[in-house]
């Protein structure tokens, strides 16, 4: 933790080999144990997990074996002074999730997705996290005619309710994303995620995770998505990063594309005391060109930018902002904010 009270997290996938759909890996793999060493060095407090980041090959293990391995990962975290922030079921790689897990047209595949989520909840239990993140990667369509949206909404509701029933301690944070890998996802925005949670059987235990790049891909502003969720007390995690327009999901370093947009995310989080409710997750990826020995700078740079923007948010002359707002001099607000960001 730093002097502002924020805790930072990232997932092992954020130190990665650099493959993309058009080319192979360009950096060699680093083992999970090796990655753990970076957390403290880079100023991070917590690890975000996909279920199989914690328990590789879990599809071929019994529930008891899965719990046993998860327990040993918790010990490993303790050795490094780290904690687990959340566990997310990886419902997008297994052959039975090719056309979605919870919303697959095949009932056996839907059942598999639910079972997998229960195992992910077991892992969360053993690893010491009370939060499960649902990024609903393949819950959507390539072709509108291929799935029934009304039924699919019901399947998603059923999945959330089943997880809530299965583990009465777990909280769920739904991470919306409008597209990629699907053409269109069923839960593209904060509003979709919040309504699903609020209609669930235990709304107190369902919230959201806001990822900057996903909001931008949806044509929305991340700070508004943050603030809307915070009004309802539902923002339980974030994946801050940046994104240069509506193209593939870039996961660029936080603030690297649009400094003012990043400032506003930090401002809304800080004004609403986010440090009291959640960790600052940085879902950032090194650019593919980055040499292996220096392929963690995206993480430390993002963290540094977040803290510098906290300072800029706290030092903003809010009386001046209020009087300019009162006078409806929004042109002056523009230059006032730009000057503030430029250190004037
Ligand atoms: C996908 C994405 C994932 C989730 C975790 O775009 O953001 O990293 O955040 O599964
Ligand atoms: Mn994410």
């Amino acid at each position: 933790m730093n002097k502002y009270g924020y805790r930072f997290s990232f997932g092992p996938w954020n130190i990665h080999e650099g493959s993309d759909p058009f080319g192979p890996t360009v950096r060699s793999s680093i083992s999970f144990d090796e990655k753990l060493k970076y957390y403290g060095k880079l100023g991070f407090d917590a690890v975000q997990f996909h279920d199989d980041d914690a328990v590789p090959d879990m599809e071929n293990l019994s529930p008891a074996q899965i719990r046993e391995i998860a327990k040993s990962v918790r010990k490993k975290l303790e050795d490094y002074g780290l904690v687990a922030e959340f566990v997310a079921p990886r419902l997008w790689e297994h052959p039975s999730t090719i056309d979605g897990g919870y919303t697959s047209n095949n009932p056996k595949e839907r059942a598999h997705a639910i079972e997998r989520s229960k195992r992910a909840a077991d892992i969360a239990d053993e690893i010491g996290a009370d939060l499960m993140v649902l990024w609903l990667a393949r819950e959507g369509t390539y072709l509108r005619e291929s799935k029934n949206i009304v039924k699919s909404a019901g399947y998603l509701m059923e999945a959330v309710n089943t997880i809530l029933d299965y583990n009465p301690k777990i909280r769920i944070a739904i991470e919306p994303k409008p597209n990629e890998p699907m053409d269109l996802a069923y839960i593209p925005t904060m509003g979709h995620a919040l309504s699903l949670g609020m209609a669930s059987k235990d709304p107190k235990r369902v919230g959201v995770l806001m990822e900057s790049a996903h909001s931008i891909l949806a044509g929305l502003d991340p700070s508004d998505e943050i603030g809307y969720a915070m009004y309802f007390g539902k923002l339980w995690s974030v994946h801050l990063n940046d994104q240069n327009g509506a193209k593939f999901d870039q996961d660029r370093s936080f603030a690297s594309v649009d400094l003012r947009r990043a400032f506003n995310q930090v401002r809304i989080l800080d004004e609403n005391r986010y440090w009291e409710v959640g960790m600052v997750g940085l879902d950032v990826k090194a650019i593919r060109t980055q040499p292996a020995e220096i392929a963690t700078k995206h993480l430390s740079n993002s963290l540094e930018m977040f803290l510098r923007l906290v300072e800029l948010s706290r030092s903003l002359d809010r009386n001046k902002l209020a009087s300019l707002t009162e006078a409806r001099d929004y042109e002056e607000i523009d230059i006032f904010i730009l000057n503030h960001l430029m250190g004037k």
Side-chain angles (χ1 to χ4, degrees):
M1 200 193 289
N2 50 81
K3 65 177 175 175
Y4 302 105
Y6 284 103
R7 287 175 300 160
F8 292 92
S9 60
F10 69 88
W13 63 88
N14 295 115
I15 299 177
H16 70 114
E17 296 84 0
S19 61
D20 70 14
F22 305 98
T25 59
V26 289
R27 297 180 282 265
S28 50
S29 296
I30 296 177
S31 71
F32 175 68
D33 289 44
E34 276 302 303
K35 287 181 185 178
L36 283 184
K37 294 182 187 158
Y38 281 103
Y39 278 79
K41 266 192 232 164
L42 299 171
F44 286 78
D45 311 274
V47 182
Q48 307 182 335
F49 286 94
H50 294 128
D51 49 7
D52 58 1
D53 292 324
V55 183
D57 200 30
M58 59 183 284
E59 293 281 347
N60 297 315
L61 300 173
S62 70
Q65 288 171 316
I66 290 172
R67 278 187 178 274
E68 210 44 50
I69 293 170
K71 213 179 273 179
S72 70
V73 176
R74 182 180 188 155
K75 286 211 186 74
K76 227 179 259 182
L77 293 181
E78 284 165 8
D79 290 344
Y80 287 95
L82 297 168
V83 293
E85 185 197 0
F86 67 66
V87 176
R90 198 196 294 270
L91 294 173
W92 54 91
E93 286 188 356
H94 192 272
S96 82
T97 61
I98 286 173
D99 198 15
Y102 304 139
T103 62
S104 164
N105 285 317
N106 179 332
K108 278 200 192 111
E109 294 180 352
R110 293 200 298 275
H112 167 269
I114 298 273
E115 277 311 300
R116 172 91 182 220
S117 308
K118 289 180 178 173
R119 298 294 79 76
D122 294 346
I123 293 171
D125 251 1
E126 298 295 346
I127 222 168
D130 75 339
L131 190 63
M132 172 183 282
V133 165
L134 293 182
W135 169 50
L136 300 164
R138 297 194 191 275
E139 315 303 350
T141 52
Y142 300 112
L143 310 175
R144 299 308 83 71
E145 300 85 358
S146 69
K147 282 187 189 176
N148 179 324
I149 171 64
V150 176
K151 277 191 179 169
S152 294
Y155 294 146
L156 291 173
M157 192 75 273
E158 202 179 309
V160 167
N161 284 337
T162 307
I163 298 164
L164 291 172
D165 267 343
Y166 177 72
N167 182 333
K169 284 183 298 192
I170 204 119
R171 297 179 303 140
I172 296 173
I174 301 172
E175 178 181 353
K177 182 178 183 184
N179 60 277
E180 200 194 51
M182 305 309 283
D183 175 51
L184 288 173
Y186 283 139
I187 305 293
T189 69
M190 213 48 73
H192 292 78
L194 287 169
S195 63
L196 196 67
M198 288 180 191
S200 73
K201 64 191 308 176
D202 193 357
K204 288 190 305 304
R205 288 196 288 139
V206 190
V208 292
L209 178 157
M210 191 297 311
E211 170 158 333
S212 325
H214 297 180
S215 298
I216 298 160
L217 285 171
L220 301 170
D221 184 81
S223 67
D224 276 354
E225 292 274 90
I226 287 171
Y228 191 68
M230 288 195 95
Y231 170 75
F232 294 104
K234 291 295 185 193
L235 190 74
W236 296 344
S237 188
V238 289
H239 272 172
L240 299 185
N241 54 22
D242 216 343
Q243 170 75 27
N244 194 13
K247 51 183 87 167
F248 63 94
D249 185 8
Q250 295 184 303
D251 293 337
R252 291 291 317 280
S253 291
F254 183 55
S256 63
V257 177
D258 187 331
L259 186 60
R260 186 171 179 181
R261 187 170 58 196
F263 168 71
N264 279 317
Q265 292 172 70
V266 174
R267 186 176 57 79
I268 298 295
L269 288 167
D270 202 58
E271 283 174 351
N272 293 285
R273 307 176 71 83
Y274 176 72
W275 66 89
E276 293 179 347
V277 292
M279 297 192 198
V280 177
L282 294 163
D283 196 2
V284 290
K285 302 245 170 68
I287 303 173
R288 191 167 187 263
T289 43
Q290 193 69 359
E293 335 65 81
I294 46 173
T296 54
K297 288 188 175 181
H298 56 304
L299 290 158
S300 46
N301 291 349
S302 295
L303 190 157
E304 184 188 335
M305 283 306 110
F306 181 90
L307 290 174
R308 288 193 64 183
L309 289 170
V310 170
E311 277 170 13
L312 280 177
S313 173
R314 291 189 183 179
S315 64
L316 184 71
D317 183 346
R318 285 185 166 68
N319 290 332
K320 181 163 178 186
L321 179 59
S323 65
L324 292 175
T325 306
E326 171 109 25
R328 224 211 283 144
D329 192 352
Y330 294 175
E331 294 291 354
E332 192 60 31
I333 291 179
D334 245 354
I335 202 74
F336 166 57
I337 296 292
L338 293 179
N339 275 328
H340 188 64
L341 291 176
M342 294 171 92
K344 187 173 157 194

